């Protein structure tokens, strides 16, 4: 293995719908099973010593899905925030969110605030849920903040305006279910990220497959656009 364990892993959790379809179940059952995978993978990330885990839970485009699927997903988010909070606190996991929080119901916004507040001392793992998140929207929001600030920006100073400026760029992005797209996720942050695609549908994603993806990353050569091989993690 040439690279150390990544500090920051981002995951596009895809394939819930297909998982349900194969079982002749409603799509929401796929999302429910996907919620169980979230719990498993958060636990595994902590055990493996990952410092930041960003999960694409709901994109800005997901608001166009049928109403019953959206309301089912909202219920799952509520169940997760309610059910997992004691565990997150106990395991020193800091829950954070990126995205347009104000598009969610007051109930969900309050629950997110409460969870962020109760877990803010967690220093083992930052679990960053991308909720109503869009990479283009994040860049546009950052540009508008920069304009308000009135000063020209550099690559480094621009970072300050992103949703989670203190979080290093992900070294590894995993997408499950064999779809090969970035789907508007972490567009700025993934400039030099290594992509690993897993054939496994998200509800079947487990610690073994997670480790396989990390090992695939660890075997990669990283050059960051230069010609020298770089083995250490970058920013
Ligand atoms: C993509 O699968 C998945 C989503 C749009 C939602 C992700 C949500 C969860 C994993 C549920 C719970 C999350 C938390 C944080 C508790 P898809 O529906 O696009 O699958 P398909 O491509 O097979 O149709």
């Amino acid at each position: 293995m040439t690279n150390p364990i990544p500090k920051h892993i981002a995951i596009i959790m895809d394939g819930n719908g297909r998982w349900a379809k194969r079982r002749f179940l409603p799509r929401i059952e796929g999302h429910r099973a996907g919620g169980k995978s979230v719990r498993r993978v958060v636990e595994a990330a902590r055990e493996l010593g990952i410092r930041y885990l960003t999960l694409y839970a709901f994109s800005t485009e997901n608001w166009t899905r049928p109403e019953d699927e959206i309301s089912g997903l909202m219920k799952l988010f509520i169940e997760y925030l309610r059910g997992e909070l004691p565990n997150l606190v106990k395991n020193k996991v800091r829950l954070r969110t990126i995205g347009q929080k104000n598009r969610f119901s007051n109930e969900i916004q309050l629950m997110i605030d409460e969870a962020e507040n109760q877990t803010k001392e967690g220093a083992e793992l930052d679990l960053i849920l991308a909720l109503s998140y869009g990479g283009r929207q994040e860049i546009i929001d950052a540009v508008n903040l920069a304009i308000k600030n009135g000063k020209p920006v550099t690559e480094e100073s621009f970072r300050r305006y992103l949703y989670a400026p203190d979080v290093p760029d992900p070294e590894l992005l995993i997408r499950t279910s064999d779809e090969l797209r970035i789907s508007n996720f972490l567009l700025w942050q993934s400039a030099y990220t290594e992509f690993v695609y897993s054939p496994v549908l998200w509800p079947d994603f487990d610690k073994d497959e997670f480790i396989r993806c990390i090992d695939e990353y660890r075997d990669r050569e990283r050059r960051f656009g230069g010609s020298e091989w770089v083995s250490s993690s970058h920013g």
Side-chain angles (χ1 to χ4, degrees), residues 12-20 27 30-39 55-59 62 65 69 73 76-81 129 131 175 177 179 181 201-202:
I12 302 180
M13 310 183 285
D14 199 8
N16 294 349
R18 273 161 288 163
W19 184 93
R27 290 178 62 81
H31 294 313
R32 187 180 304 285
K36 290 192 184 139
S37 287
V38 169
R39 290 175 176 84
L55 301 179
Y56 206 1
F58 197 85
S59 71
N62 286 154
R65 292 198 176 197
E69 185 174 350
L73 277 166
L76 285 177
F77 296 149
I78 290 173
E79 275 172 34
Y80 182 80
L81 290 168
L129 297 181
L131 288 170
R175 181 167 188 149
S177 88
E179 301 278 352
R181 279 189 300 282
L201 302 178
W202 176 251

Side-chain angles (χ1 to χ4, degrees), residues 10-224:
I11 307 184
I12 302 180
M13 310 183 285
D14 199 8
N16 294 349
R18 273 161 288 163
W19 184 93
K21 196 170 176 199
R22 283 183 197 172
R23 287 165 178 73
F24 306 101
L25 292 169
R27 290 178 62 81
I28 194 64
E29 292 308 319
H31 294 313
R32 187 180 304 285
K36 290 192 184 139
S37 287
V38 169
R39 290 175 176 84
R40 265 202 308 272
V41 168
V42 170
E43 185 55 22
R46 210 175 54 83
E47 286 167 9
L48 295 167
I50 311 297
R51 186 60 190 78
Y52 301 91
L53 177 70
T54 302
L55 301 179
Y56 206 1
F58 197 85
S59 71
T60 46
E61 292 74 24
N62 286 154
W63 290 111
T64 62
R65 292 198 176 197
E67 233 170 79
D68 60 334
E69 185 174 350
I70 294 181
S71 65
L73 277 166
M74 296 302 137
K75 276 197 196 125
L76 285 177
F77 296 149
I78 290 173
E79 275 172 34
Y80 182 80
L81 290 168
R82 193 169 285 145
E84 279 303 290
L85 192 51
N87 262 340
L88 298 176
V89 173
K90 186 176 92 200
N91 293 326
K92 301 191 173 61
V93 178
R94 177 178 172 197
L95 185 126
R96 309 172 61 170
T97 58
I98 50 173
Q100 305 164 309
K101 197 167 66 178
N102 59 6
R103 289 188 72 178
F104 290 94
S105 67
N106 281 342
E107 183 190 12
I108 293 187
Q109 291 188 44
L110 285 171
M111 290 184 81
I112 293 172
D113 290 347
E114 176 71 12
E116 289 186 330
N117 204 28
Q118 281 199 35
T119 60
K120 66 174 186 285
E121 306 294 334
E124 290 243 333
L125 169 71
D126 280 24
L127 167 62
I128 304 157
L129 297 181
L131 288 170
S132 191
Y133 174 87
R136 287 184 174 177
Q137 189 61 50
E138 178 177 26
I139 292 170
I140 286 170
D141 286 347
V143 167
N144 284 324
L145 282 175
I147 290 170
K148 248 196 198 157
N149 204 27
K151 285 193 208 116
V153 288
T154 61
E155 279 194 24
E156 269 323 298
S157 71
F158 186 70
R159 183 178 292 277
R160 210 181 302 145
Y161 300 106
L162 296 174
Y163 292 151
D166 58 303
V167 176
D169 292 342
E171 298 98 319
L172 167 61
L173 185 143
I174 299 170
R175 181 167 188 149
T176 62
S177 88
D178 253 349
E179 301 278 352
L180 313 183
R181 279 189 300 282
I182 184 78
S183 296
N184 204 11
F185 193 38
L186 301 179
L187 296 181
W188 176 272
Q189 297 85 341
S190 63
Y192 288 103
T193 299
E194 296 290 330
F195 289 8
V196 169
Y197 296 101
S198 163
V200 173
L201 302 178
W202 176 251
D204 293 326
F205 195 83
D206 59 10
K207 188 175 180 184
D208 286 347
E209 181 60 7
F210 195 29
I211 291 174
R212 193 203 61 75
C213 293
I214 294 171
D215 286 348
E216 188 175 325
Y217 157 82
R218 295 187 71 191
D219 276 336
R220 296 262 177 98
E221 273 188 27
R222 305 191 76 198
R223 293 174 200 244
F224 302 102

